[in-house]
């Protein structure tokens, strides 16, 4: 998997180029198949992914921690108090939705999580990414692989992956600037004027598209650098060549992934939160951190699914490019 695509003639600013020089064909399975196939790969190999999920959940609890049950209870109290002040009588379903929205972005973490803990979060997610790709690479090749082998042998490109991850974080600066600008616009009531709100919307779309354009190759580079012997800069260059002329397709796949994750979290976490609200009526259950543990488990499973989603797409593109390159070589040989 370390080999990259053939040289691509990219469009250069202020230089004449022709569409046929940089137009890239790509024949890969559709989005719905991509989404369902990623789930299928995980469930098909559940005997190794379930132990992996248990290991990373335990590691996350030990090294990062959980959202305390008091914090979760406090969120419920704030929701009830706000509803009472506004004279609203929200039902269990609506309250579950508000609790899900309030806690989903924490991933089950406490509000006072330290900077060191966030470093462990990044490290755990990177390990999940590398181990998942290692397992899938061997499973798709028809090889037997155990969790112990995957944990030990997949860590070789950890430093290289971290370097690529740093590059990816730098490429999210446009989104960070957007968040800062949005906070300033709210404070100064800049968005109260429709014309200025339209300008800010155009600015937001531009920043999101810019980060998405830059991240498309970095995400593929994270997959590429997991191959043994590939350096970070080489992986970034290979991924850039691989995604040239295909970034819009990849951005659409990312949008489909986000929608899938939202639906998955709602379908799984909403019933669990409603069950927890019912059980909290009993005094002996009020100190059990049921939802915080579920949040950590869902966050780790999400990391496994995202890793599977990106690896399968990378593998399809590489397979298509290899097939195209071999076809060109056969045609050149036939014509010579």
């Amino acid at each position: 998997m370390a080999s990259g695509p053939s040289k691509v003639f990219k469009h250069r600013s202020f230089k004449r180029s022709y569409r046929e020089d940089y137009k890239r064909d790509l024949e890969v399975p559709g989005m719905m198949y991509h989404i369902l196939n990623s789930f299928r790969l995980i469930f098909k190999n559940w005997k190794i992914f379930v132990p992996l999920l248990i290991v990373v959940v335990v590691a996350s609890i030990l090294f990062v921690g959980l959202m305390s049950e008091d914090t979760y209870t406090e969120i419920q109290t704030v929701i009830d108090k706000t509803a009472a002040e506004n004279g609203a009588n929200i039902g269990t379903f609506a309250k579950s939705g508000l609790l899900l929205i309030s806690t989903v972005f924490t991933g089950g973490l406490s509000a006072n999580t330290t900077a060191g803990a966030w470093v462990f979060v990044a490290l755990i997610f990177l390990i999940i990414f590398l181990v998942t790709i290692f397992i899938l690479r061997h499973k798709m090749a028809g090889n037997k692989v155990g969790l112990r082998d995957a944990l030990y042998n997949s860590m070789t490109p950890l430093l290289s992956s971290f370097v690529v991850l740093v590059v990816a974080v730098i490429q999210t600066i446009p989104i960070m600037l957007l968040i800062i600008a949005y906070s300033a616009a709210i404070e100064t009531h800049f968005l109260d004027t429709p014309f200025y709100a339209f300008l800010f919307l155009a600015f937001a779309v531009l920043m999101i598209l810019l980060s998405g354009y830059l991240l498309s190759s970095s995400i593929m580079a994270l997959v590429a650098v997991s191959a043994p012997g590939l350096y970070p800069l080489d992986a970034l260059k290979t991924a850039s060549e691989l995604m040239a002329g295909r970034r819009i397709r990849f951005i659409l796949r990312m949008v489909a992934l986000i929608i899938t994750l939202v639906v998955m979290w709602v379908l799984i976490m909403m019933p669990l939160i409603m069950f927890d609200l019912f059980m909290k009526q009993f005094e002996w259950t009020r100190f059990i951190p049921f939802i915080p543990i579920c949040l950590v488990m869902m966050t780790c499973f999400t990391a496994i699914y995202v890793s599977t989603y990106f690896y399968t797409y990378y593998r399809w593109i590489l397979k298509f490019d290899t097939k195209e390159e071999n076809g060109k070589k056969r045609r050149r040989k036939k014509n010579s």
Side-chain angles (χ1 to χ4, degrees):
M1 291 298 177
S3 60
S6 57
K7 181 65 178 177
V8 179
F9 296 95
K10 299 180 182 179
H11 170 73
R12 301 296 180 183
S13 300
F14 308 108
K15 290 185 179 181
R16 187 178 182 181
S17 59
Y18 299 93
R19 180 172 176 79
E20 55 269 18
D21 289 337
Y22 57 86
K23 183 181 178 181
R24 308 284 305 280
D25 292 328
L26 182 60
E27 296 178 5
V28 296
M31 291 185 186
M32 187 56 65
Y33 179 85
H34 189 186
I35 292 168
L36 297 178
N37 184 65
S38 299
F39 282 113
R40 184 186 65 82
L41 286 173
I42 296 173
F43 295 146
K44 181 181 178 181
N45 301 289
W46 65 271
K47 290 184 179 180
I48 190 169
F49 280 117
V50 169
L52 172 62
L53 182 63
I54 295 173
V55 169
V56 294
V57 166
V58 172
S60 180
I61 294 174
L62 291 178
F63 295 104
V64 180
L66 285 172
M67 173 192 290
S68 66
E69 186 65 19
D70 292 337
T71 303
Y72 180 69
T73 304
E74 185 179 347
I75 294 175
Q76 297 183 46
T77 304
V78 170
I79 292 175
D80 292 335
K81 184 178 179 181
T82 304
E85 290 176 352
N86 293 311
N89 185 17
I90 60 174
T92 304
F93 185 82
K95 185 177 179 180
S96 301
L98 292 173
L99 283 170
L100 178 60
I101 295 173
S102 302
T103 57
V104 67
F105 293 107
T106 67
L109 301 179
S110 177
N112 56 356
T113 303
T114 62
W118 283 108
V119 173
F120 278 110
V121 170
L123 184 61
I124 288 173
F125 273 90
L126 204 56
I127 291 174
I128 294 174
F129 191 82
L130 292 174
V131 173
T132 301
I133 291 177
F134 184 90
I135 292 171
L136 292 175
R137 181 181 287 119
H138 283 268
K139 287 291 184 179
M140 290 180 178
N143 302 326
K144 291 185 178 180
V145 59
L147 180 59
R148 183 180 62 180
D149 295 331
L151 287 172
Y152 285 126
N153 298 326
S154 65
M155 295 298 105
T156 304
L158 182 62
L159 183 58
S160 300
S161 300
F162 185 77
V163 173
V164 177
L165 184 63
V166 170
V167 174
V169 171
I170 294 174
Q171 291 172 342
T172 61
I173 289 178
I175 294 181
M176 296 178 186
L177 292 176
L178 175 62
I179 295 173
I180 295 172
Y182 179 75
S183 301
I186 293 296
E187 292 292 332
T188 58
H189 303 283
F190 180 80
L191 301 179
D192 293 345
T193 305
F195 177 71
Y196 292 152
F198 175 76
L199 290 180
F200 185 84
L201 177 62
F203 171 74
V205 171
L206 180 64
M207 292 295 100
I208 293 173
L209 287 177
L210 179 59
S211 279
Y213 178 87
L214 296 173
L215 284 171
S216 60
S217 59
S218 296
I219 292 174
M220 288 295 100
L222 273 175
V223 181
V225 82
S226 64
L230 192 62
Y231 292 103
L233 295 181
D234 293 335
L236 288 167
K237 182 179 178 181
T238 299
S240 179
E241 296 286 341
L242 196 69
M243 298 305 296
R246 297 165 172 169
R247 285 184 169 86
I248 298 299
R249 296 186 183 97
F250 183 72
I251 290 174
L252 293 176
R253 296 273 173 163
M254 290 179 66
V255 173
L257 173 63
I258 293 172
I259 295 174
T260 302
L261 294 180
V262 170
V263 173
M264 181 178 70
W265 275 76
V266 170
L267 292 179
I268 295 177
M269 289 304 301
M270 283 283 285
L272 292 176
I273 292 176
M274 294 174 68
F275 173 75
D276 182 72
L277 290 174
F278 172 76
M279 292 300 297
K280 286 298 188 291
Q281 298 175 3
F282 304 101
E283 187 69 28
W284 60 274
T285 63
R286 295 184 178 179
F287 302 100
I288 300 176
F290 176 71
I291 293 300
I293 292 176
C294 291
L295 284 170
V296 174
M297 292 181 66
M298 277 297 297
T299 303
C300 293
F301 178 80
T302 300
I304 294 174
Y305 179 79
V306 170
S307 305
T308 305
Y309 188 87
F310 287 141
Y311 177 70
T312 52
Y313 191 65
Y314 171 83
R315 190 182 180 93
W316 288 337
I317 297 178
L318 207 60
K319 184 178 180 180
F320 175 80
D321 281 355
T322 303
K323 183 179 178 181
E324 286 287 295
E325 186 65 24
N326 292 336
K328 290 178 181 179
K329 288 179 179 179
R330 286 195 297 267
R331 287 192 294 270
R332 286 195 295 264
K333 186 177 179 180
K334 183 178 180 181
N335 295 331
S336 61

